[in-house]
Protein backbone atom coordinates (compact mmCIF):
# COMPACT_ATOMS: atom_id res chain seq x y z
CA UNK A 1 0.00 0.00 0.00
CA UNK A 2 1.41 3.37 -1.03
CA UNK A 3 1.80 6.19 1.44
CA UNK A 4 0.73 9.50 -0.13
CA UNK A 5 0.30 13.04 1.01
CA UNK A 6 -2.95 14.93 0.58
CA UNK A 7 -1.65 17.06 -2.30
CA UNK A 8 -0.72 13.91 -4.22
CA UNK A 9 -4.05 12.25 -3.51
CA UNK A 10 -6.03 15.28 -4.67
CA UNK A 11 -3.94 15.56 -7.82
CA UNK A 12 -4.28 11.95 -8.87
CA UNK A 13 -7.57 10.72 -10.26
CA UNK A 14 -6.94 7.10 -9.38
CA UNK A 15 -10.08 6.24 -7.47
CA UNK A 16 -10.36 2.86 -5.83
CA UNK A 17 -6.66 2.90 -5.13
CA UNK A 18 -5.64 1.77 -1.67
CA UNK A 19 -3.44 4.25 0.12
CA UNK A 20 -1.98 5.19 3.49
CA UNK A 21 -1.67 8.72 4.78
CA UNK A 22 -0.90 10.61 7.97
CA UNK A 23 -1.91 14.01 9.19
CA UNK A 24 -3.60 16.12 11.84
CA UNK A 25 -7.32 16.21 12.48
CA UNK A 26 -8.86 19.59 11.71
CA UNK A 27 -12.42 18.62 12.56
CA UNK A 28 -14.39 15.48 13.29
CA UNK A 29 -18.14 15.55 12.87
CA UNK A 30 -21.03 13.13 13.25
CA UNK A 31 -18.58 10.49 14.54
CA UNK A 32 -17.89 9.84 10.89
CA UNK A 33 -16.19 12.61 8.88
CA UNK A 34 -12.60 13.59 9.59
CA UNK A 35 -11.19 16.67 7.85
CA UNK A 36 -7.52 15.75 7.70
CA UNK A 37 -4.68 18.10 6.86
CA UNK A 38 -1.03 17.14 6.48
CA UNK A 39 0.43 20.51 5.48
CA UNK A 40 1.08 19.49 1.87
CA UNK A 41 -1.81 21.68 0.66
CA UNK A 42 -4.33 24.20 1.96
CA UNK A 43 -7.00 21.57 1.24
CA UNK A 44 -8.16 19.02 3.77
CA UNK A 45 -9.10 15.56 2.71
CA UNK A 46 -12.28 14.03 4.02
CA UNK A 47 -11.75 10.64 5.62
CA UNK A 48 -14.96 8.71 6.20
CA UNK A 49 -15.02 6.30 9.11
CA UNK A 50 -17.14 3.22 9.37
CA UNK A 51 -18.09 4.13 12.94
CA UNK A 52 -20.06 0.98 13.61
CA UNK A 53 -16.90 -1.03 13.17
CA UNK A 54 -14.58 1.38 14.99
CA UNK A 55 -14.24 0.99 18.72
CA UNK A 56 -15.64 3.66 20.99
CA UNK A 57 -12.24 4.38 22.56
CA UNK A 58 -10.64 5.24 19.20
CA UNK A 59 -13.56 7.43 18.15
CA UNK A 60 -13.14 9.46 21.34
CA UNK A 61 -9.49 10.07 20.57
CA UNK A 62 -10.17 11.58 17.12
CA UNK A 63 -10.03 15.18 18.29
CA UNK A 64 -8.94 18.44 16.68
CA UNK A 65 -5.15 18.51 16.56
CA UNK A 66 -4.58 14.77 17.00
CA UNK A 67 -2.05 13.09 14.71
CA UNK A 68 -3.47 10.02 12.99
CA UNK A 69 -2.52 7.39 10.44
CA UNK A 70 -5.14 6.24 7.98
CA UNK A 71 -5.36 3.35 5.60
CA UNK A 72 -8.16 3.28 3.10
CA UNK A 73 -9.44 3.62 -0.42
CA UNK A 74 -9.78 6.74 -2.57
CA UNK A 75 -13.40 7.01 -3.65
CA UNK A 76 -15.49 9.62 -5.42
CA UNK A 77 -17.20 11.77 -2.85
CA UNK A 78 -20.97 11.70 -2.44
CA UNK A 79 -20.95 14.93 -0.48
CA UNK A 80 -20.40 18.46 -1.65
CA UNK A 81 -17.15 20.39 -1.31
CA UNK A 82 -14.76 17.71 -2.49
CA UNK A 83 -14.37 15.42 -5.47
CA UNK A 84 -12.69 12.52 -3.71
CA UNK A 85 -12.54 11.26 -0.15
CA UNK A 86 -10.98 8.36 1.72
CA UNK A 87 -13.06 5.39 2.78
CA UNK A 88 -11.17 4.46 5.94
CA UNK A 89 -10.35 0.80 6.58
CA UNK A 90 -7.89 1.32 9.42
CA UNK A 91 -7.18 4.22 11.74
CA UNK A 92 -4.34 4.58 14.26
CA UNK A 93 -4.02 7.44 16.73
CA UNK A 94 -0.37 8.53 16.63
CA UNK A 95 -0.57 11.45 19.03
CA UNK A 96 -3.53 12.57 21.10
CA UNK A 97 -4.59 16.19 21.43
CA UNK A 98 -6.58 17.07 24.51
CA UNK A 99 -9.45 19.21 23.19
CA UNK A 100 -9.70 21.13 26.49
CA UNK A 101 -6.10 22.26 26.18
CA UNK A 102 -5.34 22.46 22.47
CA UNK A 103 -5.13 26.19 21.63
CA UNK A 104 -6.05 25.92 17.94
CA UNK A 105 -9.79 25.33 17.99
CA UNK A 106 -11.82 25.03 14.80
CA UNK A 107 -12.92 28.67 14.93
CA UNK A 108 -11.50 32.06 14.01
CA UNK A 109 -8.53 33.07 16.15
CA UNK A 110 -6.99 36.54 16.16
CA UNK A 111 -3.51 36.92 14.67
CA UNK A 112 -2.33 38.28 18.04
CA UNK A 113 -3.41 35.08 19.75
CA UNK A 114 -1.80 32.97 17.06
CA UNK A 115 1.48 34.90 17.39
CA UNK A 116 1.58 33.79 21.01
CA UNK A 117 1.16 30.26 19.70
CA UNK A 118 3.60 30.55 16.82
CA UNK A 119 4.68 26.93 17.34
CA UNK A 120 1.16 25.78 16.43
CA UNK A 121 -0.12 28.52 14.14
CA UNK A 122 0.97 26.73 10.96
CA UNK A 123 -1.81 24.28 11.78
CA UNK A 124 -4.20 26.97 10.55
CA UNK A 125 -5.13 27.65 6.92
CA UNK A 126 -3.79 31.20 6.85
CA UNK A 127 -0.38 30.46 8.33
CA UNK A 128 0.19 27.23 6.47
CA UNK A 129 -0.62 29.09 3.23
CA UNK A 130 1.67 32.01 4.10
CA UNK A 131 4.60 29.74 4.98
CA UNK A 132 4.21 27.56 1.90
CA UNK A 133 4.24 30.72 -0.24
CA UNK A 134 7.30 31.93 1.71
CA UNK A 135 9.09 28.68 0.95
CA UNK A 136 8.22 28.81 -2.75
CA UNK A 137 9.31 32.45 -2.89
CA UNK A 138 12.74 31.66 -1.49
CA UNK A 139 13.18 28.95 -4.07
CA UNK A 140 12.09 31.41 -6.79
CA UNK A 141 14.73 33.87 -5.52
CA UNK A 142 17.50 31.32 -5.90
CA UNK A 143 16.11 30.16 -9.23
CA UNK A 144 16.11 33.69 -10.63
CA UNK A 145 19.70 34.42 -9.65
CA UNK A 146 21.06 31.01 -10.54
CA UNK A 147 19.45 31.17 -13.98
CA UNK A 148 21.02 34.59 -14.48
CA UNK A 149 24.59 33.51 -13.64
CA UNK A 150 24.76 34.99 -10.14
CA UNK A 151 26.91 33.28 -7.49
CA UNK A 152 25.33 32.64 -4.12
CA UNK A 153 27.69 33.98 -1.47
CA UNK A 154 27.34 33.39 2.27
CA UNK A 155 28.51 36.55 3.95
CA UNK A 156 29.41 36.49 7.67
CA UNK A 157 26.77 36.82 10.35
CA UNK A 158 29.27 38.08 12.91
CA UNK A 159 31.03 41.17 11.63
CA UNK A 160 33.32 43.93 12.74
CA UNK A 161 31.84 46.55 10.43
CA UNK A 162 28.62 48.51 10.45
CA UNK A 163 27.68 48.35 6.78
CA UNK A 164 24.90 50.90 7.02
CA UNK A 165 26.72 53.20 9.43
CA UNK A 166 23.47 53.47 11.35
CA UNK A 167 24.83 51.99 14.57
CA UNK A 168 21.78 49.86 15.27
CA UNK A 169 23.62 46.62 16.01
CA UNK A 170 23.50 43.69 18.41
CA UNK A 171 26.85 43.10 20.03
CA UNK A 172 28.44 39.66 20.02
CA UNK A 173 30.68 39.01 23.01
CA UNK A 174 31.83 36.24 25.31
CA UNK A 175 32.54 38.63 28.17
CA UNK A 176 30.64 37.61 31.30
CA UNK A 177 28.26 39.90 33.19
CA UNK A 178 30.05 42.94 34.57
CA UNK A 179 33.40 41.28 34.00
CA UNK A 180 34.45 42.93 30.75
CA UNK A 181 38.04 44.14 31.09
CA UNK A 182 38.51 47.87 30.70
CA UNK A 183 41.17 49.88 28.93
CA UNK A 184 43.12 52.60 30.70
CA UNK A 185 40.55 55.19 29.75
CA UNK A 186 37.73 53.09 31.15
CA UNK A 187 36.24 51.73 27.93
CA UNK A 188 35.51 48.03 27.37
CA UNK A 189 38.71 46.38 26.12
CA UNK A 190 37.50 44.37 23.16
CA UNK A 191 41.04 43.34 22.28
CA UNK A 192 40.60 40.77 25.07
CA UNK A 193 37.22 39.57 23.73
CA UNK A 194 36.77 36.37 21.70
CA UNK A 195 37.51 37.92 18.30
CA UNK A 196 40.03 40.41 19.61
CA UNK A 197 37.83 43.27 18.50
CA UNK A 198 34.32 44.58 18.88
CA UNK A 199 31.91 42.45 16.88
CA UNK A 200 28.22 42.58 16.08
CA UNK A 201 25.53 40.71 14.23
CA UNK A 202 25.49 41.89 10.64
CA UNK A 203 23.00 44.50 9.46
CA UNK A 204 23.75 43.74 5.80
CA UNK A 205 26.03 41.52 3.74
CA UNK A 206 26.54 44.22 1.14
CA UNK A 207 30.14 45.19 1.76
CA UNK A 208 31.34 41.60 1.59
CA UNK A 209 29.07 40.95 -1.40
CA UNK A 210 30.83 43.84 -3.17
CA UNK A 211 34.14 42.00 -2.76
CA UNK A 212 32.60 38.99 -4.47
CA UNK A 213 31.02 41.04 -7.26
CA UNK A 214 34.46 42.55 -7.90
CA UNK A 215 35.84 39.09 -8.58
CA UNK A 216 32.99 36.77 -9.58
CA UNK A 217 31.12 39.50 -11.46
CA UNK A 218 27.63 38.73 -10.19
CA UNK A 219 26.95 37.74 -6.60
CA UNK A 220 23.94 37.56 -4.31
CA UNK A 221 23.38 36.91 -0.64
CA UNK A 222 20.22 35.56 0.95
CA UNK A 223 20.59 35.41 4.69
CA UNK A 224 19.56 36.70 8.08
CA UNK A 225 20.33 40.28 9.08
CA UNK A 226 19.82 42.00 12.42
CA UNK A 227 18.81 45.49 13.44
CA UNK A 228 18.58 46.74 16.98
CA UNK A 229 16.26 49.56 15.98
CA UNK A 230 13.47 50.05 18.43
CA UNK A 231 10.76 50.19 15.77
CA UNK A 232 7.49 48.63 16.76
CA UNK A 233 5.82 48.79 13.38
CA UNK A 234 4.08 46.33 11.09
CA UNK A 235 7.09 46.45 8.75
CA UNK A 236 10.12 46.08 11.04
CA UNK A 237 11.76 43.05 12.57
CA UNK A 238 14.93 42.84 14.66
CA UNK A 239 15.88 39.70 12.69
CA UNK A 240 14.92 39.56 9.04
CA UNK A 241 16.13 37.92 5.85
CA UNK A 242 17.67 40.03 3.16
CA UNK A 243 18.45 39.32 -0.49
CA UNK A 244 21.38 41.35 -1.76
CA UNK A 245 22.53 41.08 -5.38
CA UNK A 246 25.69 42.94 -6.34
CA UNK A 247 26.97 43.28 -9.91
CA UNK A 248 30.27 44.51 -11.34
CA UNK A 249 30.22 46.96 -14.26
CA UNK A 250 26.50 47.75 -13.69
CA UNK A 251 25.27 51.31 -13.18
CA UNK A 252 22.14 52.57 -11.44
CA UNK A 253 19.94 52.16 -14.52
CA UNK A 254 20.99 48.53 -14.72
CA UNK A 255 20.32 48.19 -11.00
CA UNK A 256 16.76 49.50 -11.42
CA UNK A 257 16.19 47.13 -14.34
CA UNK A 258 17.49 44.23 -12.28
CA UNK A 259 15.31 45.02 -9.25
CA UNK A 260 12.20 45.34 -11.37
CA UNK A 261 12.84 42.22 -13.42
CA UNK A 262 13.71 40.20 -10.32
CA UNK A 263 10.58 41.18 -8.38
CA UNK A 264 8.32 40.53 -11.37
CA UNK A 265 9.94 37.18 -11.97
CA UNK A 266 9.48 35.86 -8.42
CA UNK A 267 5.91 37.12 -8.28
CA UNK A 268 5.11 35.40 -11.56
CA UNK A 269 6.72 32.27 -10.19
CA UNK A 270 4.43 32.09 -7.15
CA UNK A 271 1.38 33.07 -9.21
CA UNK A 272 2.17 29.95 -11.22
CA UNK A 273 3.22 27.64 -8.37
CA UNK A 274 1.06 28.64 -5.38
CA UNK A 275 -2.38 28.89 -6.97
CA UNK A 276 -4.42 27.26 -4.19
CA UNK A 277 -2.68 29.12 -1.38
CA UNK A 278 -2.90 32.49 -3.15
CA UNK A 279 -6.57 31.96 -3.93
CA UNK A 280 -7.18 31.26 -0.26
CA UNK A 281 -5.18 34.32 0.81
CA UNK A 282 -6.99 36.43 -1.78
CA UNK A 283 -10.35 35.43 -0.25
CA UNK A 284 -9.03 36.00 3.26
CA UNK A 285 -7.92 39.52 2.43
CA UNK A 286 -11.21 40.31 0.71
CA UNK A 287 -13.05 39.20 3.89
CA UNK A 288 -10.73 41.30 6.06
CA UNK A 289 -11.22 44.35 3.85
CA UNK A 290 -14.97 44.11 4.31
CA UNK A 291 -14.57 45.11 7.94
CA UNK A 292 -12.88 48.37 6.90
CA UNK A 293 -14.66 51.59 5.93
CA UNK A 294 -15.22 51.79 2.16
CA UNK A 295 -12.64 54.54 1.69
CA UNK A 296 -9.85 52.48 3.21
CA UNK A 297 -10.52 49.36 1.20
CA UNK A 298 -8.10 48.39 -1.51
CA UNK A 299 -9.38 48.81 -5.05
CA UNK A 300 -7.76 45.56 -6.09
CA UNK A 301 -7.89 42.04 -4.69
CA UNK A 302 -4.62 40.34 -3.74
CA UNK A 303 -4.39 38.41 -7.01
CA UNK A 304 -5.18 41.53 -9.01
CA UNK A 305 -2.42 43.40 -7.17
CA UNK A 306 0.10 40.65 -7.87
CA UNK A 307 -0.82 40.52 -11.55
CA UNK A 308 -0.73 44.30 -11.72
CA UNK A 309 2.82 44.42 -10.37
CA UNK A 310 3.94 41.59 -12.63
CA UNK A 311 2.47 43.20 -15.75
CA UNK A 312 3.14 46.94 -15.38
CA UNK A 313 6.26 49.06 -15.46
CA UNK A 314 7.45 50.55 -12.20
CA UNK A 315 7.42 54.34 -12.30
CA UNK A 316 10.93 55.85 -12.01
CA UNK A 317 11.02 59.24 -10.33
CA UNK A 318 13.93 61.30 -9.00
CA UNK A 319 13.91 62.39 -5.37
CA UNK A 320 13.74 66.02 -6.53
CA UNK A 321 10.61 65.36 -8.63
CA UNK A 322 9.09 63.45 -5.70
CA UNK A 323 9.68 66.37 -3.34
CA UNK A 324 7.91 68.71 -5.78
CA UNK A 325 4.94 66.36 -5.99
CA UNK A 326 4.79 66.00 -2.21
CA UNK A 327 5.20 69.69 -1.52
CA UNK A 328 2.25 70.51 -3.74
CA UNK A 329 0.14 67.58 -2.62
CA UNK A 330 -3.23 67.96 -0.92
CA UNK A 331 -2.22 66.26 2.36
CA UNK A 332 0.83 68.53 2.60
CA UNK A 333 -1.15 71.70 1.95
CA UNK A 334 -3.88 70.62 4.35
CA UNK A 335 -1.21 69.74 6.95
CA UNK A 336 -2.28 66.12 7.00
CA UNK A 337 1.28 64.75 7.00
CA UNK A 338 2.79 64.17 10.40
CA UNK A 339 6.08 65.35 8.88
CA UNK A 340 5.28 68.23 6.49
CA UNK A 341 7.46 68.51 3.40
CA UNK A 342 8.84 72.02 3.22
CA UNK A 343 12.15 71.81 1.50
CA UNK A 344 14.48 69.77 -0.60
CA UNK A 345 16.64 67.52 1.56
CA UNK A 346 13.90 66.21 3.84
CA UNK A 347 14.04 62.49 4.56
CA UNK A 348 10.95 60.73 3.27
CA UNK A 349 8.76 59.06 5.85
CA UNK A 350 6.53 56.11 5.13
CA UNK A 351 3.48 58.43 4.96
CA UNK A 352 5.16 60.21 2.02
CA UNK A 353 6.21 56.99 0.33
CA UNK A 354 2.71 55.64 0.64
CA UNK A 355 1.17 58.81 -0.73
CA UNK A 356 3.39 58.61 -3.83
CA UNK A 357 2.69 54.94 -4.45
CA UNK A 358 -0.91 54.55 -3.36
CA UNK A 359 -2.46 57.93 -4.13
CA UNK A 360 -0.34 59.70 -6.70
CA UNK A 361 1.19 57.12 -9.05
CA UNK A 362 -0.94 54.11 -8.08
CA UNK A 363 1.84 51.70 -9.01
CA UNK A 364 5.26 50.60 -7.69
CA UNK A 365 7.70 53.51 -7.77
CA UNK A 366 11.49 53.62 -7.93
CA UNK A 367 12.85 56.80 -6.37
CA UNK A 368 16.46 57.65 -7.23
CA UNK A 369 19.16 60.30 -6.75
CA UNK A 370 18.59 61.09 -3.09
CA UNK A 371 20.36 63.83 -1.12
CA UNK A 372 23.78 62.52 -0.11
CA UNK A 373 23.41 63.38 3.57
CA UNK A 374 20.36 61.20 4.21
CA UNK A 375 21.95 58.09 2.65
CA UNK A 376 24.79 55.70 3.50
CA UNK A 377 28.48 56.48 2.93
CA UNK A 378 29.06 54.00 0.12
CA UNK A 379 26.67 55.51 -2.44
CA UNK A 380 28.15 57.13 -5.55
CA UNK A 381 28.21 60.91 -5.52
CA UNK A 382 26.59 62.58 -8.54
CA UNK A 383 28.28 65.42 -10.43
CA UNK A 384 25.99 67.93 -8.69
CA UNK A 385 27.95 67.18 -5.52
CA UNK A 386 24.79 66.92 -3.41
CA UNK A 387 22.90 63.84 -4.56
CA UNK A 388 23.91 60.18 -4.66
CA UNK A 389 23.01 57.35 -7.02
CA UNK A 390 20.66 55.73 -4.53
CA UNK A 391 17.40 54.01 -5.31
CA UNK A 392 14.48 52.82 -3.22
CA UNK A 393 11.68 50.68 -4.61
CA UNK A 394 8.36 51.59 -3.00
CA UNK A 395 5.38 49.23 -2.96
CA UNK A 396 1.70 49.75 -2.25
CA UNK A 397 0.80 48.82 1.32
CA UNK A 398 4.44 48.17 2.15
CA UNK A 399 6.42 51.31 1.44
CA UNK A 400 10.13 50.65 0.96
CA UNK A 401 10.75 47.10 -0.20
CA UNK A 402 14.18 47.60 -1.80
CA UNK A 403 17.07 49.92 -0.98
CA UNK A 404 20.10 50.02 -3.22
CA UNK A 405 22.69 52.13 -4.99
CA UNK A 406 25.47 52.45 -7.46
CA UNK A 407 28.54 52.23 -5.23
CA UNK A 408 31.24 54.86 -4.94
CA UNK A 409 34.09 53.29 -6.88
CA UNK A 410 36.49 56.28 -6.69
CA UNK A 411 39.01 55.88 -3.89
CA UNK A 412 39.46 59.58 -3.14
CA UNK A 413 35.79 60.41 -3.17
CA UNK A 414 35.03 57.45 -0.90
CA UNK A 415 37.73 58.40 1.60
CA UNK A 416 36.42 61.97 1.78
CA UNK A 417 32.91 60.69 2.32
CA UNK A 418 33.97 58.30 5.07
CA UNK A 419 35.85 61.06 6.85
CA UNK A 420 32.85 63.37 6.62
CA UNK A 421 30.55 60.66 7.98
CA UNK A 422 32.88 59.45 10.70
CA UNK A 423 33.34 55.96 9.27
CA UNK A 424 36.48 54.22 10.49
CA UNK A 425 38.85 53.86 7.52
CA UNK A 426 41.07 51.42 9.38
CA UNK A 427 38.16 49.09 9.98
CA UNK A 428 37.23 49.11 6.30
CA UNK A 429 40.76 48.82 4.87
CA UNK A 430 39.74 45.83 2.82
CA UNK A 431 36.70 47.68 1.41
CA UNK A 432 39.01 50.50 0.35
CA UNK A 433 41.35 47.95 -1.27
CA UNK A 434 38.53 47.15 -3.70
CA UNK A 435 38.87 50.78 -4.89
CA UNK A 436 42.65 50.53 -5.10
CA UNK A 437 42.94 47.37 -7.14
CA UNK A 438 40.84 47.06 -10.25
CA UNK A 439 38.00 49.29 -9.16
CA UNK A 440 35.04 49.71 -11.49
CA UNK A 441 31.45 50.85 -11.60
CA UNK A 442 29.25 48.44 -9.66
CA UNK A 443 25.80 48.39 -8.10
CA UNK A 444 23.46 46.35 -6.01
CA UNK A 445 20.46 46.42 -3.73
CA UNK A 446 18.90 44.80 -0.71
CA UNK A 447 15.37 43.46 -0.68
CA UNK A 448 13.73 42.69 2.65
CA UNK A 449 12.40 39.18 2.12
CA UNK A 450 9.62 39.48 4.72
CA UNK A 451 8.32 42.64 3.07
CA UNK A 452 8.15 40.71 -0.20
CA UNK A 453 6.29 37.87 1.54
CA UNK A 454 3.95 40.45 3.09
CA UNK A 455 3.15 41.92 -0.28
CA UNK A 456 2.70 38.53 -1.92
CA UNK A 457 0.44 37.11 0.77
CA UNK A 458 -1.45 40.29 1.65
CA UNK A 459 -0.58 39.96 5.34
CA UNK A 460 -0.73 43.26 7.20
CA UNK A 461 1.85 42.55 9.91
CA UNK A 462 5.43 41.47 9.22
CA UNK A 463 5.33 39.31 12.37
CA UNK A 464 2.91 37.04 10.53
CA UNK A 465 5.16 36.19 7.58
CA UNK A 466 8.27 34.94 9.44
CA UNK A 467 8.00 31.71 11.46
CA UNK A 468 9.24 32.98 14.83
CA UNK A 469 9.47 36.78 14.80
CA UNK A 470 12.07 38.70 16.80
CA UNK A 471 10.96 42.19 17.78
CA UNK A 472 11.68 44.51 20.71
CA UNK A 473 10.72 42.73 23.95
CA UNK A 474 10.06 39.47 22.16
CA UNK A 475 12.32 36.49 21.47
CA UNK A 476 9.92 33.71 22.46
CA UNK A 477 10.41 30.29 20.83
O1 LIG B 1 17.56 49.98 2.99
P1 LIG B 1 18.41 49.03 3.74
O2 LIG B 1 18.82 49.39 5.12
O3 LIG B 1 19.68 48.77 2.80
C1 LIG B 1 20.77 48.01 3.10
O4 LIG B 1 20.94 47.36 4.10
C2 LIG B 1 21.75 47.95 1.96
N1 LIG B 1 23.03 47.54 2.49
C3 LIG B 1 21.23 46.98 0.91
C4 LIG B 1 22.12 46.87 -0.28
O5 LIG B 1 22.23 47.83 -1.03
N2 LIG B 1 22.72 45.73 -0.49
O6 LIG B 1 17.68 47.63 3.81
C5 LIG B 1 17.28 46.97 2.62
C6 LIG B 1 15.87 46.44 2.74
C7 LIG B 1 14.81 47.52 2.97
O7 LIG B 1 14.42 48.11 1.75
C8 LIG B 1 13.70 46.71 3.60
O8 LIG B 1 12.96 46.00 2.61
C9 LIG B 1 14.46 45.69 4.42
O9 LIG B 1 15.76 45.60 3.88
N3 LIG B 1 14.56 46.08 5.83
C10 LIG B 1 13.84 45.51 6.82
N4 LIG B 1 12.93 44.53 6.80
C11 LIG B 1 12.39 44.15 7.98
N5 LIG B 1 12.73 44.70 9.17
C12 LIG B 1 13.65 45.70 9.24
N6 LIG B 1 13.99 46.20 10.42
C13 LIG B 1 14.25 46.14 8.02
N7 LIG B 1 15.18 47.06 7.71
C14 LIG B 1 15.36 47.01 6.39
MG1 LIG C 1 16.63 51.79 3.13
Amino acid sequence: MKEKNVAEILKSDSVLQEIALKGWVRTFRSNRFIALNDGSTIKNIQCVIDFENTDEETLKRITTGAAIAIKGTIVESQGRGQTVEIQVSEITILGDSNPDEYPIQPKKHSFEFLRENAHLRTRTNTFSAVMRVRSKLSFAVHKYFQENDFNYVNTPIVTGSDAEGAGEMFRVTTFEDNKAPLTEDGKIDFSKDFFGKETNLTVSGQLEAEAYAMSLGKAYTFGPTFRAENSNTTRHLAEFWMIEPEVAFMDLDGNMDLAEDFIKSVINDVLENCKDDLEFLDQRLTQEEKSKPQAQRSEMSLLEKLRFVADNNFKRVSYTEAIDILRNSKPNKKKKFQFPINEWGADLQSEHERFLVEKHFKCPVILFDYPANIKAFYMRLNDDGKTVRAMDVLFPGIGEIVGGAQREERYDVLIDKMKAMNIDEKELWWYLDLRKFGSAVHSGFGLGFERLVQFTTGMGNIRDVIPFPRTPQNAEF
Side-chain angles (χ1 to χ4, degrees):
M1 194 178 294
K2 250 194 117 183
E3 178 139 349
K4 290 196 169 186
N5 67 32
V6 176
E8 288 170 321
I9 294 170
L10 293 177
K11 243 182 271 163
S12 76
D13 43 19
S14 41
V15 287
L16 297 182
Q17 201 193 140
E18 293 211 23
I19 48 110
L21 75 158
K22 296 183 182 117
W24 294 270
V25 176
R26 283 288 175 85
T27 57
F28 183 41
R29 63 186 170 85
S30 313
N31 254 351
R32 206 179 152 89
F33 303 104
I34 302 172
L36 192 74
N37 190 285
D38 66 357
S40 62
T41 153
I42 187 90
K43 292 179 177 146
N44 301 330
I45 193 149
Q46 175 153 288
C47 302
V48 187
I49 298 213
D50 174 7
F51 69 97
E52 277 158 9
N53 293 310
T54 309
D55 65 88
E56 192 76 10
E57 195 50 36
T58 305
L59 287 175
K60 266 197 224 146
R61 292 171 64 196
I62 306 172
T63 57
T64 297
I68 60 173
I70 296 271
K71 285 181 180 158
T73 314
I74 308 175
V75 296
E76 273 172 31
S77 177
Q78 306 299 308
R80 270 190 279 163
Q82 65 270 325
T83 50
V84 294
E85 61 190 24
I86 310 290
Q87 200 70 58
V88 177
S89 56
E90 197 183 318
I91 175 165
T92 314
I93 311 289
L94 302 173
D96 291 284
S97 174
N98 182 341
D100 297 332
E101 291 175 12
Y102 184 55
I104 314 294
Q105 295 297 320
K107 61 161 198 170
K108 214 170 149 47
H109 291 292
S110 75
F111 289 159
E112 290 78 10
F113 172 81
L114 290 169
R115 244 169 258 150
E116 288 163 13
N117 289 281
H119 59 310
L120 293 170
R121 66 178 173 172
T122 28
R123 302 254 189 110
T124 66
N125 284 334
T126 299
F127 285 91
S128 67
V130 166
M131 294 308 163
R132 272 189 301 268
V133 172
R134 182 183 166 108
S135 168
K136 284 277 190 281
L137 262 178
S138 32
F139 187 57
V141 167
H142 283 294
K143 199 158 67 184
Y144 178 85
F145 288 121
Q146 294 292 332
E147 282 172 359
N148 286 287
D149 299 328
F150 281 72
N151 294 281
Y152 180 37
V153 37
N154 301 116
T155 50
I157 308 270
V158 175
T159 94
S161 44
D162 177 1
E164 289 305 294
E168 292 161 328
M169 299 189 294
F170 292 101
R171 182 169 296 162
V172 176
T173 177
T174 53
F175 285 153
E176 287 177 42
D177 302 350
N178 303 321
K179 283 188 197 150
L182 301 181
T183 58
E184 276 175 11
D185 49 0
K187 294 197 180 119
I188 295 178
D189 187 359
F190 288 107
S191 71
K192 300 209 171 72
D193 203 351
F194 186 91
F195 293 106
K197 65 187 292 192
E198 182 180 347
T199 48
N200 296 287
L201 295 179
T202 187
V203 295
S204 159
Q206 178 198 320
L207 304 192
E208 291 90 350
E210 282 186 53
Y212 271 65
M214 295 311 284
S215 49
L216 301 182
K218 290 180 178 184
Y220 74 105
T221 72
F222 187 176
T225 48
F226 307 86
R227 306 236 170 143
E229 50 193 345
N230 202 2
S231 315
N232 258 308
T233 79
T234 54
R235 299 171 311 115
H236 287 89
L237 291 164
E239 176 181 291
F240 65 98
W241 286 66
M242 195 165 19
I243 297 148
E244 298 184 274
E246 193 69 34
V247 183
F249 316 118
M250 185 176 77
D251 64 10
L252 192 71
D253 288 327
N255 207 19
M256 292 195 241
D257 292 342
L258 176 65
E260 185 168 343
D261 189 54
F262 164 65
I263 294 175
K264 286 178 171 171
S265 164
V266 294
I267 286 180
N268 272 322
D269 194 294
V270 289
L271 276 171
E272 187 58 39
N273 293 311
C274 300
K275 288 204 173 87
D276 290 347
D277 286 325
L278 289 179
E279 258 163 45
F280 172 83
L281 292 165
D282 179 90
Q283 294 300 312
R284 187 206 73 78
L285 188 62
T286 304
Q287 272 323 109
E288 187 183 274
E289 293 266 305
K290 280 187 189 154
S291 65
K292 290 186 187 165
Q294 190 81 38
Q296 282 170 32
R297 287 184 207 166
S298 167
E299 284 163 30
M300 283 188 236
S301 76
L302 175 63
L303 285 167
E304 284 167 344
K305 270 190 261 184
L306 295 178
R307 287 193 201 105
F308 181 85
V309 167
D311 295 342
N312 288 282
N313 290 338
F314 296 4
K315 181 87 188 160
R316 301 182 187 190
V317 187
S318 74
Y319 167 90
T320 303
E321 290 170 80
I323 284 291
D324 281 341
I325 293 167
L326 288 167
R327 207 177 345 196
N328 297 317
S329 69
K330 244 196 219 158
N332 201 50
K333 288 185 170 153
K334 291 192 167 165
K335 305 211 183 312
K336 288 275 159 62
F337 285 140
Q338 199 189 336
F339 299 90
I341 296 288
N342 298 318
E343 55 199 296
W344 192 94
D347 203 355
L348 300 185
Q349 307 295 328
S350 72
E351 57 180 348
H352 309 128
E353 297 175 343
R354 295 186 70 157
F355 172 82
L356 290 170
V357 173
E358 289 158 28
K359 297 278 173 343
H360 190 84
F361 290 110
K362 294 183 192 292
C363 71
V365 172
I366 311 184
L367 288 187
F368 61 91
D369 284 351
Y370 281 76
N373 57 2
I374 58 169
K375 288 289 181 185
F377 73 95
Y378 50 70
M379 299 186 175
R380 192 183 197 281
L381 193 63
N382 279 312
D383 292 341
D384 62 14
K386 58 174 194 174
T387 59
V388 284
R389 299 247 75 190
M391 66 172 209
D392 277 3
V393 180
L394 312 178
F395 257 46
I398 304 286
E400 180 191 334
I401 192 163
V402 162
Q406 184 174 322
R407 317 307 185 188
E408 184 55 77
E409 84 284 13
R410 298 162 297 183
Y411 184 88
D412 297 338
V413 183
L414 185 59
I415 280 276
D416 286 347
K417 191 69 165 297
M418 287 169 76
K419 285 201 175 101
M421 289 191 163
N422 256 327
I423 310 276
D424 192 353
E425 296 155 44
K426 281 198 243 72
E427 198 58 64
L428 288 178
W429 63 273
W430 58 273
Y431 189 69
L432 287 162
D433 260 10
L434 300 172
R435 277 73 184 164
K436 269 203 266 187
F437 308 116
S439 188
V441 164
H442 64 288
S443 304
F445 62 82
L447 176 137
F449 185 53
E450 283 74 23
R451 292 195 186 169
L452 177 67
V453 182
Q454 256 191 296
F455 180 74
T456 312
T457 58
M459 297 297 280
N461 194 317
I462 200 164
R463 294 167 176 83
D464 296 333
V465 299
I466 188 165
F468 300 103
R470 267 81 184 97
T471 51
Q473 298 300 310
N474 176 39
E476 196 65 46
F477 307 102

